[in-house]
């Protein structure tokens, strides 16, 4: 029994260190670890987990058209099942008695399930009076109100759960619970021993709860509680209290009157002090105080003679009481992430102006083109364009330090993605590389929302990539780049050195060390996913890893053609070293969405075993001991691999599962090719997910025109593809992103994948040119499934789509002739096409660039007035006006352009110009070598002798 308690405690501590993001509005949407309902109690074992029913249909009901009286006596008989319509429906083999059986009623597995509680009461009062166990969802206000009206009549209730976060909206966010209070009549539930009101909107403890004298478990996790009443001490039967994830600043002194309390969890609050009365809890065994603001612990904690586990990590503790050493049963003390041993006042640093701790850290809002800034010992909160934030704490630098930043387009060579990873941001480069800070600097990268996994920040130090501990949150409301809009989602990490950073989404990954004493591994994605390692399952300690991959219900049903098909999350298990376990390992996973233990048809349930090497799947349902509870499936294994639970009418599912796994790695996309209405030679190319193509086309319709999006295609994350202009249309090949005359792209599902280019006819115009742009795959990725790679062999099979382009007849003066060249063959050319490409990247800073190029203010005003209705033409006219003046000005024109771009804050464009010129120079040198005219080595050079 003690070992089991220890395993549960380890489970809680581990989950506390892996909580997700907190929403600033008070809803803690990112908390994946729902610890308040994780542990199974002795009252009702096996029903306190969390299931991921993200697309479970709502529960509705319909009565017979005439009278409900005739319906009432037979509501729970199989003959009347047509009168009560549950969604998902019960199989014909299961009677409706399964909904209400053995004094238990579980309605939180259906959307708005609480709405049928009044109907159940009216039609089966005798059975409802005997109800002892009830679970309700609180995401629907109307259904919740109807359920609360019936609740006081259920006087035999012993366990009541009213929770939010049971379902997800279309964007992947959990639906919050709407419970903000309880009616006073709830005090009639005098037999209640277990109450769970987690993930709701309670700002104070409902007064009616203080009269429930038999209450032994009170779970109020993830609400908005600002305080607890002194009267809480009247609930002397309480054995477990959890108020994790609220806004508590202190605890009531009456807490010391809970003489039977065994477990107290007040982690993830804002506690600054603890009452001395806490030492009166003589039966307390587990005390969770992590992630608060505690600066000291009371000496009375030394009186907790029954205490076994004390978690005080992530506070502001500099010392711990010596009395803790004398606790006889204390076997776990977690003090991580505390400034233990540090002095209260840091020693003064020479030549440093004292920083007032009470003053706020100054803020700095940078605009586009402002790529450098200064940080002093006072610290600084820097807001970058696009949503990124940098938080420099006080005394992170000793002197005023100049720093730079730049946002880079992701380069396939410099982005590290593992299998099933998704890139969520551009590369953020912070310079100088390797610069070390006295205190960790918080780097927050804006990322695009994803439903596929956990968000992490990866850093490239110039040689290798590493994954950093990451927390997610919303950006500051003060961010000037998002006026009036919702703040960006940020992936935040703490670093001591500057380098390159990106945000990625990866499958939820958990690991632990398994010793001969056994262990318990719980998924941060869903605490209902557990692996139990019994004692003596291994002779030596080994490390095990668990990854969880989400599956979209609609894709499962589309692939199988079965509207009732569904699948649990895919479980990928691995270990080091790889060997069989000596004892069976117990695995618990949620049943597929829409399936519950009372309604499941076991003939449709398939447990699939996957081989990660050969990518084959085998149905092992008949070979393992598989049983189901109300919302979980439990089975035993002796070796690690991939496991996937499916529910479908198909008899042979191996091929379907294999195709579904391949689809998890693929993205359905479409291509756009649009031409600007006032300049048809300016072409916009974009690759985007298929469900966003139509809306994107509509948003561009005012400025662009062109064909409808291409047919459906499939690409992998990070896969390279090319756009080739054909049939009389060409593009300059002197671009760094051009390869063999084709424009190079790298597909990232959560980025824009967009480029704008200027095209020209391959021959002097004789009339309208009707050409096309075709999209081709790049090199076949090495990890591509065999059956997919087989379809991509040969040049023709690399083609994906073709879209038409039309360049109308016009004067040749505006065409891209390539006659306007800057530079020389030895140092490299910058062609007219290159200038057009650069102009597309210049924004409101074009006048600053013009002044730095030496163009007079009067000339810039003339250009602005002449093309007042077209911003793009203003930029091009400025660049070409300067370029024509450089035709006879001698060498150095390209260098002058690069310097002007840098002085105007566009170092990224200056580097792009440098890359173009370097590419041209290299091609010139290669052409000299081909004809044998390369420059000979100077014989007088001493290195040649």
């Amino acid at each position: 029994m003690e070992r089991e308690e220890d395993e549960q405690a380890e489970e809680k501590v581990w989950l506390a260190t892996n909580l997700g993001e907190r929403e600033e509005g008070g809803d803690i949407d990112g908390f994946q670890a729902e610890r308040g309902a994780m542990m199974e109690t002795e009252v009702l074992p096996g029903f306190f987990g969390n299931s991921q029913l993200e697309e479970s249909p709502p529960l509705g009901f319909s009565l017979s058209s005439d009278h409900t009286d005739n319906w009432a006596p037979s509501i729970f008989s199989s003959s009347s099942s047509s009168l009560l319509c549950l969604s998902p429906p019960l199989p014909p083999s299961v009677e409706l008695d399964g909904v209400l059986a053995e004094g238990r009623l579980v309605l939180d597995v259906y959307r708005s399930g609480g709405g049928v509680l009044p109907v159940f009461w009216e039609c089966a009062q005798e059975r409802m009076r005997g109800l002892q166990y009830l679970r309700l969802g609180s995401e629907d206000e109307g259904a919740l109100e109807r359920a609360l009206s019936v609740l006081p009549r259920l006087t035999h209730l012993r366990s009541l759960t009213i929770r939010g976060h049971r379902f997800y909206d279309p964007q992947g966010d959990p639906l919050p619970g709407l419970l903000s209070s309880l009616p006073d009549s709830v005090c009639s539930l005098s037999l209640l021993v277990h109450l769970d009101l987690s993930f709701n909107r309670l700002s104070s403890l409902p007064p009616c709860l203080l009269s429930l004298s038999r209450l032994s478990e009170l779970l109020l996790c993830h609400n908005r509680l600002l305080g607890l009443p002194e009267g809480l001490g009247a609930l002397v039967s309480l054995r477990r209290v959890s108020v994790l994830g609220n806004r508590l600043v202190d605890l009531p002194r009456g807490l010391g009157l809970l003489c039977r309390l065994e477990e107290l969890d007040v982690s993830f609050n804002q506690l600054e002090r603890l009452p001395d009365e806490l030492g009166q809890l003589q039966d307390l065994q587990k005390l969770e105080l992590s992630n608060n603001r505690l600066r000291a612990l009371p000496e009375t904690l030394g009186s907790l003679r029954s205490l076994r586990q004390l978690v005080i990590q992530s506070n502001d503790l500099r010392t711990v009481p010596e009395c803790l050493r004398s606790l006889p049963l204390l076997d776990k003390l977690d003090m991580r992430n505390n400034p233990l041993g540090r002095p209260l006042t840091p020693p003064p640093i020479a030549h440093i102006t004292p920083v007032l701790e009470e003053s706020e850290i100054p803020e700095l809002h940078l605009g586009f083109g402002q790529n450098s800034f200064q940080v002093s010992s006072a610290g600084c909160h820097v807001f970058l364009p696009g949503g990124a934030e940098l938080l420099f704490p006080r005394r992170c630098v000793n002197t005023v330090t100049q720093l730079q930043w730049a946002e880079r387009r992701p380069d396939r060579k410099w982005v590290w993605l593992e299998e099933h990873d998704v890139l969520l941001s551009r590369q953020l480069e912070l310079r100088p590389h390797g610069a070390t800070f006295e205190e960790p600097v918080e780097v927050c990268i804006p990322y695009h929302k994803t439903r596929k996994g956990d968000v992490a920040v990866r850093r490239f130090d110039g040689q290798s990539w590493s994954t950093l501990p990451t927390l997610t949150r919303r950006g500051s409301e003060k961010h000037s780049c998002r006026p009036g809009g919702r703040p960006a989602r940020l992936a935040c990490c703490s670093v001591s050195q500057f380098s390159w950073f990106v945000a990625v989404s990866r499958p939820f990954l958990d690991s632990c060390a398994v010793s001969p004493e056994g262990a318990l591994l719980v998924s941060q994605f869903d605490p209902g996913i557990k692996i139990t390692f019994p004692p003596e399952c291994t002779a030596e300690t080994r490390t095990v890893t668990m990854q969880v991959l989400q599956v979209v219900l609609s894709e499962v049903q589309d692939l199988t053609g079965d509207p009732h098909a569904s699948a649990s999350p895919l479980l990928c298990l691995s270990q080091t070293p790889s060997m069989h376990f000596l004892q069976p390992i117990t695995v618990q996973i949620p049943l597929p969405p829409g399936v519950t233990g009372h309604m499941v048809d076991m003939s449709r349930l398939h447990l699939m075993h996957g081989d990660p090497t050969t990518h084959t799947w085998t149905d092992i349902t008949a070979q393992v001991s598989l049983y189901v509870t109300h919302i979980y499936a439990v089975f035993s294994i002796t070796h690690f691999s991939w496991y996937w639970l499916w529910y479908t009418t198909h008899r042979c599912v191996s091929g379907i599962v294999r195709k579904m796994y391949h689809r998890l790695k693929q993205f359905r996309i479409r291509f756009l090719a649009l031409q600007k209405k006032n300049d048809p030679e300016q072409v916009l190319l974009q690759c985007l997910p298929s469900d966003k193509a139509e809306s994107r086309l509509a948003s561009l319709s005012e400025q662009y025109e062109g064909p409808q999006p291409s047919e459906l295609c499939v690409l992998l994350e990070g896969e390279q593809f090319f756009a080739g202009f054909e049939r009389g249309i060409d593009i300059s090949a002197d671009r760094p992103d051009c390869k063999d005359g084709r424009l190079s792209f790298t597909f990232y599902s959560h980025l824009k994948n967009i480029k704008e280019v200027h095209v020209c006819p391959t021959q002097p115009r004789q009339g309208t040119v009707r050409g096309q742009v075709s999209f081709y795959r790049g090199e076949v990725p090495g990890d591509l499934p065999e059956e997919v790679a087989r379809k991509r062999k040969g040049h023709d099979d690399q083609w994906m789509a073709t879209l038409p382009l039309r360049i109308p007849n016009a004067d040749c003066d505006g065409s891209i002739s390539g006659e306007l060249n800057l530079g020389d063959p030895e140092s490299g050319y910058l062609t007219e096409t290159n200038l057009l490409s650069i102009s597309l990247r210049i924004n409101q800073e074009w006048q600053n660039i013009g002044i730095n190029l030496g163009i007079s203010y009067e000339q810039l005003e003339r250009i602005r007035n002449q093309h007042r209705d077209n911003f793009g033409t203003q930029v091009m006219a400025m660049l070409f006006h300067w370029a024509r003046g450089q035709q006879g000005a001698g060498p150095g024109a390209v260098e002058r352009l690069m310097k002007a771009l840098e002085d105007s804050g566009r170092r990224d464009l200056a580097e792009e110009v440098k890359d173009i010129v370097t590419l041209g120079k290299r091609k010139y040198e290669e052409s000299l070598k081909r004809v044998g005219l390369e420059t000979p080595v100077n014989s007088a050079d001493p290195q040649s002798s």
Side-chain angles (χ1 to χ4, degrees):
M1 182 65 182
E2 291 182 0
R3 180 182 290 112
E4 180 179 351
E5 292 176 352
D6 293 344
E7 290 174 351
Q8 291 177 347
E10 289 284 344
E11 172 184 6
K12 289 185 61 184
V13 172
W14 187 95
L15 285 170
T17 61
N18 290 274
L19 290 175
E21 68 180 17
R22 294 171 179 256
E23 294 289 345
E24 286 191 356
D27 294 332
I28 311 176
D29 291 352
F31 276 21
Q32 303 292 346
E34 301 181 15
R35 300 187 296 162
M38 180 187 66
M39 300 174 60
E40 300 173 356
T41 66
E42 296 179 358
V43 178
L44 295 164
F47 287 89
F48 289 0
N50 174 30
S51 61
Q52 299 294 330
L53 302 173
E54 58 179 320
E55 297 192 34
S56 177
L59 183 150
F61 63 92
S62 59
L63 305 181
S64 57
S65 56
D66 298 327
H67 303 286
T68 60
D69 295 338
N70 297 331
W71 175 68
S74 60
I75 181 174
F76 295 110
S77 66
S78 59
S79 62
S80 64
S81 60
S82 61
L83 299 177
L84 182 64
C85 301
L86 297 178
S87 179
L90 298 177
S93 60
V94 180
E95 295 186 357
L96 204 55
D97 280 345
V99 179
L100 176 59
E102 300 178 357
R104 302 179 179 182
L105 182 58
V106 179
L107 297 177
D108 64 340
V109 297
Y110 303 97
R111 287 182 184 243
S112 307
V116 301
L117 198 62
V119 179
F120 278 38
W121 171 260
E122 292 297 331
C123 303
Q125 291 189 14
E126 290 302 321
R127 298 190 62 178
M128 291 293 289
R129 284 194 181 96
L131 190 65
Q132 297 186 23
Y133 175 89
L134 177 62
R135 288 180 67 101
L136 300 172
S138 57
E139 74 284 345
D140 185 287
E141 187 173 3
L144 179 62
E145 184 177 352
R146 292 192 294 272
L148 291 179
S149 65
V150 177
L151 198 59
R153 306 178 187 180
L154 308 178
T155 54
H156 286 75
L157 270 183
R158 294 178 59 82
S159 177
L160 173 62
T161 298
I162 307 177
R163 295 181 35 153
H165 282 211
R166 303 298 294 145
F167 301 94
Y168 293 83
D169 62 17
Q171 288 72 40
D173 289 330
L175 294 175
L178 304 180
L179 182 68
S180 58
S181 63
L182 287 175
D184 293 339
S185 53
V186 170
C187 64
S188 63
L189 306 180
S190 58
L191 300 181
L192 203 63
V193 297
H194 174 273
L195 179 61
D196 185 355
L197 304 178
S198 301
F199 292 98
N200 280 293
R201 298 182 177 179
L202 297 173
S203 58
S204 61
L205 190 70
C208 59
L209 301 184
L210 300 179
S211 60
L212 302 179
S213 58
R214 298 191 182 186
L215 198 63
S216 66
E217 291 200 18
L218 179 60
L219 309 178
L220 302 170
C221 310
H222 313 317
N223 277 275
R224 304 177 181 179
L225 296 175
L226 301 175
L228 295 175
E230 289 290 341
L232 186 65
L235 301 178
V236 293
S237 297
L238 280 176
R239 295 181 180 271
R240 180 185 175 208
V241 174
S242 178
V243 287
L244 172 147
N246 281 276
R247 305 175 184 177
L248 301 177
V249 177
D250 52 24
L251 297 176
R253 299 173 59 185
L255 197 65
L257 300 177
L258 303 178
C259 55
R260 298 182 184 179
L261 193 64
E262 298 177 357
E263 180 179 344
L264 176 61
D265 189 346
V266 291
S267 56
F268 287 91
N269 278 278
Q270 302 171 21
L271 296 177
E272 299 178 354
R273 66 188 70 85
L274 296 175
D276 291 337
E277 287 76 10
L278 204 62
Q280 301 175 13
L281 304 176
Q282 294 299 313
D283 290 346
L284 192 65
Q285 299 179 20
K286 303 175 185 178
L287 180 57
E288 288 269 3
L289 301 171
S290 61
N291 291 274
N292 280 285
R293 302 174 181 176
L294 297 174
R295 294 177 175 266
L297 297 178
E299 292 289 339
T300 55
L301 292 185
S303 302
L304 302 177
R305 312 302 291 178
S306 300
L307 193 64
R308 293 179 177 272
Q309 297 185 17
L310 175 60
V311 182
I312 53 176
Q313 66 159 331
S314 302
N315 279 281
D316 195 22
L317 297 172
R318 302 177 186 274
T319 60
V320 293
E322 286 293 328
C323 60
L324 297 181
R325 299 179 181 271
S326 62
L327 295 178
L329 301 180
L330 187 65
D331 55 16
K332 182 176 182 61
L333 177 60
D334 189 347
M335 301 185 297
R336 293 174 295 165
N337 299 328
N338 279 289
L340 296 173
R342 298 182 188 176
L344 294 177
T345 303
I349 302 176
H351 309 295
I352 296 295
T353 303
V355 178
L356 296 178
E357 294 293 340
E358 293 76 12
S359 62
E360 293 185 359
I361 294 180
E363 295 182 355
L364 177 62
H365 295 260
L366 300 180
F368 289 99
Q370 294 179 291
N371 292 93
S372 63
F373 56 94
Q374 291 182 338
V375 175
S376 67
S377 59
C380 189
H381 193 171
V382 182
F383 298 89
L384 304 181
E389 298 181 17
L390 306 175
L391 182 57
F392 297 87
R394 296 183 178 90
R395 290 179 291 275
C396 67
V397 294
N398 296 331
T399 59
V400 176
T401 305
Q402 187 79 17
L403 303 172
Q404 300 86 35
W405 72 277
E407 192 177 62
R408 308 292 185 192
R409 288 188 176 185
D411 191 328
R412 189 162 171 253
K413 297 182 296 183
W414 304 110
V415 174
W416 172 47
L417 294 178
E418 296 180 342
E419 191 171 18
H420 300 292
D421 284 356
V422 174
L423 185 66
L424 301 181
S425 73
R426 290 189 170 192
Q427 287 176 310
L428 178 63
E429 181 184 5
L430 301 176
R431 296 190 301 267
H433 299 156
T436 303
F437 299 96
E438 300 295 330
E439 297 288 339
V441 176
E442 186 178 30
V443 177
C444 298
I445 302 176
Y447 67 92
H448 296 271
K449 186 177 180 181
T450 178
R451 294 181 59 184
K452 287 186 174 291
D454 191 21
V455 178
V457 175
R458 290 209 173 113
R459 176 181 62 191
F460 181 64
D461 60 7
Q463 296 181 347
S464 61
W465 285 90
S466 59
T467 302
L468 304 177
T470 306
L471 293 176
T472 55
R473 64 174 176 86
R474 285 286 183 180
S476 172
E477 296 285 351
K478 303 177 182 179
H479 204 309
S480 59
C481 292
R482 289 176 171 262
R486 195 177 186 188
R489 299 175 184 270
L490 298 179
C492 303
C493 62
S494 294
V495 300
S496 57
Q497 291 185 341
F498 272 3
S499 54
W500 292 267
F501 303 89
V502 295
V504 301
S505 172
R506 60 178 182 175
F508 294 97
L509 185 146
D510 306 277
S511 63
C512 72
V514 180
S515 65
E517 287 75 24
L520 175 66
L521 180 59
V522 182
S523 170
Q524 61 174 314
F525 165 68
D526 180 358
I529 301 177
K530 303 178 183 179
I531 304 179
T532 304
F533 302 89
E536 301 180 358
C537 66
T538 178
E540 58 184 25
T541 301
R542 64 179 78 180
T543 301
V544 297
T545 301
M546 171 173 59
Q547 280 188 307
V548 180
L549 297 179
Q550 287 182 282
V551 185
V552 180
L553 181 62
S554 59
E555 291 190 3
V556 173
Q557 296 175 349
D558 177 59
L559 186 65
T560 60
D562 181 2
H564 301 291
S566 60
S568 296
L570 169 60
L571 205 59
C572 301
L573 307 178
S574 60
Q575 59 175 323
T576 305
S578 180
M579 61 181 71
H580 282 40
F581 289 95
L582 303 179
Q583 300 288 339
I585 307 304
T586 302
V587 180
Q588 173 184 292
I589 58 176
L591 288 170
V595 180
T596 61
H598 289 307
M599 59 164 287
V600 64
D601 183 350
M602 294 299 293
S603 65
R604 298 183 181 183
L605 201 62
H606 303 270
L607 180 62
M608 307 302 299
H609 170 271
D611 188 330
T613 304
T614 61
H615 292 271
T616 57
W617 293 87
T618 307
D619 191 341
I620 61 170
T621 311
Q623 304 172 20
V624 300
S625 174
L626 174 67
Y627 67 92
V628 299
T629 65
H630 187 69
I631 54 179
Y632 294 114
V634 182
F635 57 93
S636 298
I637 57 176
T638 56
H639 68 282
F640 272 9
S641 187
W642 294 351
Y643 296 95
W644 209 347
L645 191 64
W646 280 62
Y647 189 78
T648 177
T649 56
H650 290 273
R651 295 292 181 181
C652 182
V653 296
S654 298
I656 296 175
V657 174
R658 184 177 67 254
K659 292 180 180 178
M660 189 66 212
Y661 177 75
H662 293 160
R663 183 171 291 188
L664 290 178
K665 302 169 61 177
Q666 299 172 351
F667 294 87
R668 299 181 177 183
I669 57 94
R670 291 184 177 180
F671 297 101
L672 293 180
L674 304 175
Q675 296 173 264
K676 207 160 191 178
K677 291 182 178 180
N678 56 8
D679 184 7
E681 294 180 351
Q682 184 174 333
V683 179
L684 179 146
L685 303 177
Q686 187 171 11
C687 168
L688 68 170
S690 58
D691 58 341
K692 300 179 181 179
E694 296 296 338
S695 59
R696 175 64 173 167
L697 186 64
S699 67
L700 295 172
S701 59
E702 291 187 4
Q703 300 183 31
Y704 294 85
E705 60 185 356
Q708 290 296 311
S710 70
E711 295 297 322
L712 208 62
C713 301
V714 174
L715 284 175
L716 302 179
E717 184 78 7
E719 184 174 359
Q720 191 176 28
F721 67 94
F722 298 92
F725 293 90
E726 303 163 344
R727 298 183 62 180
I729 298 180
D730 198 4
I731 184 176
S732 171
D734 290 334
R735 293 171 52 108
D737 55 356
C738 252
K739 182 178 181 181
D740 298 330
R742 293 178 177 178
L743 196 61
S744 172
F745 290 80
T746 303
F747 172 73
Y748 294 108
S749 57
H750 286 64
L751 303 187
K752 291 185 178 180
N753 306 300
I754 185 173
K755 291 186 180 181
E756 280 196 83
V757 297
H758 271 79
V759 298
C760 63
T762 55
Q763 301 293 333
R765 284 194 213 185
Q766 302 297 327
T768 299
V769 179
R770 301 181 184 274
Q772 63 187 28
V773 57
S774 295
F775 297 90
Y776 300 88
R777 302 186 188 277
E779 299 177 0
V780 178
D783 59 346
L784 203 63
E786 181 180 354
E787 62 182 34
V788 179
R790 193 183 307 119
K791 299 177 182 179
R792 299 191 181 184
K793 293 181 179 178
H795 177 75
D796 293 338
D797 290 330
Q798 293 181 348
W799 172 86
M800 290 186 290
T802 296
L803 295 173
L805 295 176
R806 177 177 174 271
I807 301 180
N809 189 21
D811 296 335
C812 295
D813 295 340
S815 65
I816 303 173
S817 61
E819 296 178 356
L820 183 59
N821 294 327
L822 298 177
D824 53 77
E826 287 76 14
S827 61
Y829 276 122
L830 195 64
T831 67
E832 183 174 347
T833 304
N834 298 142
L835 288 175
L836 287 170
S837 176
I838 294 170
S839 70
L840 298 176
R841 303 274 306 280
I842 296 177
N843 299 313
Q844 300 296 332
E845 70 275 3
W846 71 275
Q847 289 181 311
N848 291 335
I849 295 175
I851 292 176
N852 290 327
L853 287 172
I855 303 176
S856 66
Y857 181 78
E858 291 78 10
Q859 181 62 35
L860 291 174
E861 281 295 300
R862 190 177 299 112
I863 292 174
R864 187 172 66 86
N865 293 329
Q866 186 177 358
H867 307 285
R868 65 173 61 92
D869 297 328
N870 193 320
F871 174 76
T873 306
Q874 291 176 350
V875 178
M876 285 190 292
M878 180 273 295
L879 275 181
F880 279 81
H881 173 82
W882 170 80
R884 292 190 183 95
Q886 301 299 310
Q887 292 292 85
V894 175
E895 287 74 11
R896 286 191 287 273
L897 176 59
M898 293 169 57
K899 187 176 186 306
L901 290 172
E902 286 195 16
D903 293 344
S904 303
R906 294 305 304 268
R907 183 172 180 174
D908 57 328
L909 280 181
E911 292 179 352
E912 183 174 324
V913 171
K914 182 179 179 181
D915 291 341
I916 293 173
V917 174
T918 302
L919 179 64
K921 180 180 178 181
R922 186 169 66 248
K923 289 185 175 181
Y924 175 74
E925 292 173 350
E926 290 175 354
S927 64
L928 291 180
K929 291 180 181 180
R930 284 196 297 269
V931 298
L933 297 178
E934 64 269 24
T935 304
V937 179
N938 188 355
S939 60
D941 192 345
Q943 298 293 336
S944 63
S945 56

